[in-house]
Structures are given as structure tokens and as C-alpha cells.
Amino acid sequence: MTSKDSIPFLDLITPHRDLENELLAVFRQALSTGTFIGGPMVQQFENAFAAFCETSHCVGVGSGTDALRFALIAAGVQPGDVVVTVPNTFIATTEAISQAGALPEFVDVDERTYNMDPEKLGEYLANCKTGNDGSVVSRRSGRRVTAIVPVHLYGQMANMDPIMDLAQRYNLLVIEDACQAHGAEYFSARSGAWKKAGSMGQAAAFSFYPGKNLGACGEAGAVTTNNVDIAQKVRMLRDHGQAKKYYHDIEGYNGRLDAIQSGVLHAKLPYLPKWNRQRCERAGRYRQLLMGQSGLKLPCDVPGFRPVYHLYVLCTDEREDLMAHLKSAGIATGIHYPIPLHLQEAYRSHGYSPGSFPVSEKTAAEVVSLPMFPHLTDEQQLRIATEILRFISEKPVLAQARSSIEVGRVERTAP
């Protein structure tokens, strides 16, 4: 199998080649004006992305991790607080919580969507104590619970209505981790309308890492919010706590969004709806080709959700063998994510153990991500599906061969 024949997991070359002239114009503008930090290109993108997300404000920052950390701090999360999230996500979610001075605690995910399970969240909150001041206090840590971070994983929004209802009942903040969900939508019965990712909580965090549905040519992120005070606080936090130059109301960070990355994102943003539609078409094609196959769990089509398929993730208990088969056929795959956060070495001191969150643990052991990008072709998808079906049809033969090998080993080692 030659590299020319191989199918990549992600294609970052074709869209940049298609937009080469527009992207080069961004660099030329920065070079001709000398504006590399702040300035019109940053403001232009912030305005456009706020409109895209249907929010009042967007504040560009250095990364998705910056975005979530700044959003938590700006919304009022204090050092020592507890922030509730899920273990089935990338570690940046919990890094941001910890770096805001808070403690992440977990609830399990829904086995259909792999996102936060509102029933598990309700059970967690019902098990909390009530502090003397009426606050919610975690029985696990004895700390005050102040916020919930639902993660819109793989490009599908979490079930936000019941999460927002619980937050309102317990007086908690909701900060969306929308780093994989640019343009995803959710039908909110609370408002009777479709709502965009990043528009439902007090604030939301987006990442524009190059592989995202909307990706920069480097690191970049943004906070969206409808709260003017949160937006203003994030603007200060990203720029050393300055209300204006050299006047520091608070200690902040160096977390600004570069002008060139802003220009790149602004050039790409008009194409995002088309790219998202193409991802949805690719997802539909996968479903058509793989539907009904024994041992494969495909992404659920849940009414009231409009995902944008940042990733196309299926589950199988034959993951390693399937990935090896696809690799031998020149097809790249990925795992998102192989170890749930509560079992990561980084969180050993938090005291969680295997079995704490069974759905997340089962998911982590079975998920495999197939190639997914807007320019994935019908021919490539047919090849991918053909190899998956070949693997499934050959499984009994492979199992019999492995069994024969094991029997042979036992016979050779028998006394």
C-alpha cells in the first residue's frame, strides 16, 4: 500500500490549498500594517463568530484551554470550588478547571451520546449537602459546588435543557465546553427554538486547534457569552488584567488571540456551514454503508440534536484488531479517548477507582474514530466500509486461527 493510496485520518492540506489566496492575503495584511496583536482583524473575527454562535459577545484568546479557564474565572468560580464535568473528554477540560483553582468532580455519560448524563448529574446534586449559606456542598470533597461544564463531545451538544434546569434549581453556573462543536445545534424546549453550541450557558469555550471544524493555522480559542460583564472580564484576563494599557485591575494572563490567526479564522468562517454539511453527509454515508452490522455501534441519531461530526466515532469490542486491520489496508484511525480522566495518572490523588463511571470506562475501551473531514470522498468511504465489512466477515476465521495457535502452544508446553 503506497502513501498515495492511503486514507488519512484528517486532511488539513486540501482546504488550505483551496483557500491559499485568501490566507496569503491575511499574512500580507499583517505584514503591511505591522499589526500582529489585537487590532481590526481580531475585532472583525470576534464580531463574526459571535454572530455565527448567536451570542452577544465573542472574545478571542490563545487556545481552547485558555478559553475555558478564563470563562470559569470570569463567571465567578473561586479557588477551592468544585466544578462538575465528565471523565469522557480530553484533559484540557479538567486542566482548565484545575488552573482556575477549582476541583473537578465527575458524573458519568449517556451511553447513546457519550455526553453528560443529566440523570447522573441529578443524582450527584441530590446527594450533595446544603451549606449554612444555602450553597451546594459535595459529599465527596466537602467543597462548595459552583459550576457545571457539559462537554459537547465529537460535535454533538449535550442534553442541555435538563442540565440548565438542574443548574437553575441548585443555583449553579453552566460553562459549555464547545471545543468540538462549532455550529452544532440543540432544540431547546425551554425556549422553543434551536440553539447553537456556545449560546446556552453563562459562557462557552471554543478551540480553533487546526484539526477542529473551524481551525486556525496554529493555536487559537474564543469565549462566547451573552453576559457583558463576563466578556469584559475575559478581555482583561487574556491581557494581563489590563482595563487599559498599563492599568492592571487584576492579575491576568498572556492569553491573547494573534491577529494573523484571527484573520485566518475570519477567512475560513464563511465556509464552515458548507464544511459542516459535508461532514453530516459523510456521516450519513457511513451509516448507510455500515448500518446493521453485528458488533458495531454507530453514532446515535437522537431527535432534537444537529451534530456537526467533528469526529465519527463507533464502538466495538474488537477495537485493536479492527484498527490493525484498517492500518494494514492503509486507513488511518484514532481513539478519542483511551483512558477516562478519573483513571489517568494525573488524577490518581483524587481517589477514583475502576468502576466509578462504568459507561465512560466501557466507552473508552471500545471507541474508534474513523476518517472524517469535509473532503472525504465517496470512493474513500466505500474503501473504509469495505475493509470494515471484510474484517467482520473474517472474524470467525481469525478467532479460529488464534484458538488453534493457542492450542498448539499449550500442546508444545505440556509435560
Side-chain angles (χ1 to χ4, degrees), residues 14-62:
T14 302
H16 291 102
R17 185 175 58 222
D18 292 346
L19 299 181
E20 183 175 345
N21 290 335
E22 293 172 70
L23 299 181
L24 288 175
V26 170
F27 286 89
R28 292 191 186 99
Q29 181 177 345
L31 292 173
S32 65
T33 63
T35 304
F36 301 103
I37 304 295
M41 283 200 290
V42 175
Q43 187 65 59
Q44 187 178 38
F45 170 68
E46 289 176 337
N47 292 342
F49 195 66
F52 175 81
C53 294
E54 300 174 0
T55 60
S56 303
H57 307 279
C58 168
V59 184
V61 297

Side-chain angles (χ1 to χ4, degrees), residues 33-272:
T33 63
T35 304
F36 301 103
I37 304 295
M41 283 200 290
V42 175
Q43 187 65 59
Q44 187 178 38
F45 170 68
E46 289 176 337
N47 292 342
F49 195 66
F52 175 81
C53 294
E54 300 174 0
T55 60
S56 303
H57 307 279
C58 168
V59 184
V61 297
S63 69
T65 312
D66 279 348
L68 187 53
R69 179 171 68 249
F70 296 166
L72 289 163
I73 296 170
V77 171
Q78 298 294 314
D81 288 352
V82 167
V83 175
V84 184
T85 190
V86 292
N88 184 40
T89 181
F90 184 55
I91 196 172
T93 303
T94 44
E95 283 178 331
I97 293 168
S98 298
Q99 291 164 10
L103 176 72
E105 292 191 1
F106 300 110
V107 297
D108 213 345
V109 297
D110 185 316
E111 62 184 355
R112 299 175 306 159
T113 66
Y114 314 122
N115 283 329
M116 180 177 282
D117 186 336
E119 290 188 12
K120 297 297 183 185
L121 176 63
E123 291 170 8
Y124 170 93
L125 293 172
N127 191 48
C128 287
K129 299 179 290 186
T130 302
N132 294 332
D133 59 354
S135 61
V136 179
V137 177
S138 165
R139 287 191 182 275
R140 179 179 181 82
S141 62
R143 300 187 185 190
R144 182 179 67 152
V145 181
T146 56
I148 304 165
V149 175
V151 181
H152 303 324
L153 199 65
Y154 306 149
Q156 176 157 298
M157 289 181 67
N159 191 2
M160 290 298 292
D161 273 357
I163 292 172
M164 296 300 294
D165 288 342
L166 286 165
Q168 185 174 15
R169 185 187 313 170
Y170 289 93
N171 194 29
L172 302 176
L173 299 163
V174 174
I175 309 297
E176 299 170 66
D177 182 337
C179 290
Q180 296 187 1
H182 315 66
E185 293 181 289
Y186 170 85
F187 186 80
S188 170
R190 297 171 98 234
S191 61
W194 287 94
K195 306 291 286 185
K196 286 278 191 75
S199 68
M200 295 192 69
Q202 277 73 36
F206 285 89
S207 167
F208 303 118
Y209 187 76
K212 304 296 186 183
N213 290 33
L214 179 64
C217 292
E219 294 280 4
V223 175
T224 56
T225 182
N226 290 310
N227 185 305
V228 64
D229 294 329
I230 291 176
Q232 181 57 29
K233 185 76 174 287
V234 172
R235 290 190 183 97
M236 293 170 63
L237 287 167
R238 73 176 175 180
D239 194 18
H240 301 286
Q242 297 182 111
K244 60 180 180 177
K245 194 167 185 178
Y246 301 134
Y247 288 80
H248 306 272
D249 292 1
I250 56 174
E251 279 194 343
Y253 301 81
N254 183 0
R256 296 166 297 208
L257 176 59
D258 294 345
I260 287 175
Q261 299 301 347
S262 299
V264 166
L265 292 166
H266 188 257
K268 289 183 174 184
L269 184 57
Y271 298 92
L272 180 58

Side-chain angles (χ1 to χ4, degrees), residues 329-398:
I331 298 167
T333 55
I335 301 176
H336 300 84
Y337 300 94
I339 303 174
L341 292 181
H342 67 288
L343 299 180
Q344 292 280 359
E345 182 64 27
Y347 297 113
R348 178 188 291 272
S349 64
H350 290 215
Y352 293 103
S353 58
S356 297
F357 304 103
V359 179
S360 292
E361 292 168 34
K362 185 175 188 295
T363 298
E366 296 181 351
V367 289
V368 56
S369 301
L370 300 183
M372 170 55 76
F373 46 90
H375 298 87
L376 189 66
T377 67
D378 285 347
E379 181 183 3
Q380 287 174 321
Q381 283 197 285
L382 181 59
R383 256 188 64 200
I384 294 165
T386 298
E387 291 300 335
I388 292 173
L389 297 178
R390 178 175 291 125
F391 170 80
I392 292 171
S393 68
E394 292 176 354
K395 271 198 303 183
V397 176
L398 293 171

